[in-house]
Amino acid sequence: MDLRQCRKYGAFLRRQGWKVERVKTKKGNFVQVAIKKIPMLPISIMKCQRFAHEPEGRCLNQLKRKHGVIYSIWEPANDKAEDYCIREKMERKESGYLPGASVVVDLRRSKKEIWLGVSKDTRRVIRKASRVEVEQITEAKKRWLAWKSWQQFGRGYVPRYQAFENMAKSSGKDTVMVVGRDREKIVAGEVLLICEKKAYYYYAWTSQSGRRIGAQAKLVWEGMMRMKERGVKSWDFEGIDDNRNPRKSWVGFSHFKMNFGGERVIYPLSYRQWF
């Protein structure tokens, strides 16, 4: 099961103002959908992300009528789920809300095997980052300070602090924040989300000084080892550059992630549907 289909992730979306429903599938299980009402209008949009099974048509249509859904976003997890989108004559999009490709590292292997799967250059960077002290953040006050460093050093989207707190409250110990310190100053951080024995490298940030000393590489390695000790079976880097929709800005961090070994995973493209 993907993170977006986990109940705890659904609880987070509810705190963010979405209505979250579960729709029966033809297999007898459920897919999770999230619905957002359009302000001042009696209509809504819906998203169903990384779903693996075909929803039962009658249940889905009842749900759409109930919430006035006029537009849906579908991001299938596999070929069978994509077949459903094609049969429903949905419009395929080159890019979606979620990355089309990722790298997944198998944490069931021994520590030595995982280490040898990391590129030589990255292993050297991790060794050189010995001065970086790694700390897992659990206290609310420390989370606030970590978020301030994230706000200062993060590239791209940085969620509001309340959104991060909503995430932490929704999943409890399955939201893990880890920071790297150099001389007591936070120079890097990562947020991991755990679902079904799988850890997702959900957010990450690094200061310029942190980049010079390889802080993020050490955080990823330490994060993997902490997850392995916890019994987590795999580590998902949550997105790399996709040849179907290449982005120049993704090349650097995609290379960084792929240097940790693992298997490249390609997801079907995103689909859109009116009514």
Side-chain angles (χ1 to χ4, degrees):
M1 179 189 296
D2 184 86
L3 172 68
R4 284 86 186 171
Q5 290 296 318
C6 285
R7 286 180 178 271
K8 289 184 178 180
Y9 192 81
F12 161 64
L13 290 178
R14 287 190 184 95
R15 289 179 183 269
Q16 292 295 99
W18 292 80
K19 291 184 181 296
V20 178
E21 303 268 11
R22 301 178 78 217
V23 182
K24 286 184 179 180
T25 73
K26 292 186 175 181
K27 291 284 187 179
N29 48 22
F30 297 87
V31 295
Q32 183 165 267
V33 301
I35 300 164
K36 175 80 80 170
K37 186 180 182 300
I38 297 176
M40 309 298 292
L41 294 173
I43 54 178
S44 304
I45 61 170
M46 183 180 80
K47 63 180 180 180
C48 184
Q49 298 179 300
R50 294 286 192 261
F51 69 104
H53 302 288
E54 179 179 340
E56 201 280 318
R58 185 168 59 88
C59 295
L60 180 63
N61 290 334
Q62 287 176 349
L63 183 68
K64 285 184 174 181
R65 287 195 294 270
K66 174 184 174 182
H67 294 285
V69 173
I70 64 164
Y71 180 68
S72 305
I73 300 154
W74 297 84
E75 296 185 285
N78 54 37
D79 291 342
K80 287 186 177 180
E82 183 179 30
D83 287 343
Y84 163 74
C85 297
I86 294 171
R87 288 199 309 275
E88 291 295 312
K89 298 181 180 180
M90 297 181 191
E91 179 186 3
R92 190 168 70 174
K93 294 291 186 180
E94 290 298 320
S95 61
Y97 284 92
L98 300 178
S102 190
V103 172
V104 179
V105 179
D106 186 354
L107 299 182
R108 295 172 297 180
R109 297 175 297 162
S110 69
K111 180 178 178 179
K112 182 178 180 181
E113 288 174 321
I114 299 172
W115 178 252
L116 292 177
V118 179
S119 73
K120 290 183 179 179
D121 286 345
T122 301
R123 294 202 302 263
R124 183 166 56 250
V125 170
I126 294 170
R127 291 191 188 101
K128 286 178 65 177
S130 58
R131 63 193 271 186
V132 178
E133 297 180 0
V134 178
E135 177 188 4
Q136 184 170 325
I137 303 297
T138 57
E139 299 173 19
K141 184 178 180 180
K142 287 187 175 182
R143 281 203 301 267
W144 165 256
L145 294 174
W147 179 81
K148 292 296 288 183
S149 77
W150 183 2
Q151 189 181 46
Q152 181 179 359
F153 303 127
R155 293 182 174 181
Y157 173 71
V158 178
R160 293 179 297 107
Y161 179 70
Q162 187 56 53
F164 174 70
E165 278 297 296
N166 286 342
M167 185 178 289
K169 290 174 182 177
S170 300
S171 59
K173 293 182 179 179
D174 287 341
T175 295
V176 179
M177 174 182 267
V178 182
V179 299
R181 299 180 185 273
D182 181 25
R183 299 184 180 91
E184 299 187 359
K185 182 179 179 180
I186 295 176
V187 294
E190 63 186 9
V191 176
L192 313 175
L193 301 183
I194 303 169
C195 171
E196 296 284 319
K197 298 292 183 180
K198 188 173 187 178
Y200 294 80
Y201 184 67
Y202 204 70
Y203 291 119
W205 68 97
T206 315
S207 69
Q208 288 187 352
S209 63
R211 290 188 183 89
R212 286 195 295 270
I213 62 176
Q216 192 59 230
K218 183 171 182 179
L219 274 190
V220 169
W221 174 253
E222 290 287 341
M224 283 183 177
M225 293 303 100
R226 288 172 185 237
M227 293 298 100
K228 179 176 174 59
E229 290 172 4
R230 181 170 166 168
V232 172
K233 296 179 179 179
S234 61
W235 173 285
D236 191 325
F237 270 107
E238 267 295 282
I240 57 171
D241 196 24
D242 183 357
N243 294 333
R244 297 168 299 179
N245 181 34
R247 307 180 196 183
K248 290 183 179 180
S249 61
W250 284 35
V251 172
F253 70 74
S254 297
H255 182 70
F256 170 81
K257 292 175 179 181
M258 289 187 289
N259 277 341
F260 284 88
E263 178 184 357
R264 186 185 180 99
V265 178
I266 305 296
Y267 293 103
L269 292 171
S270 175
Y271 287 80
R272 303 291 185 270
Q273 182 182 45
W274 286 98
F275 304 105

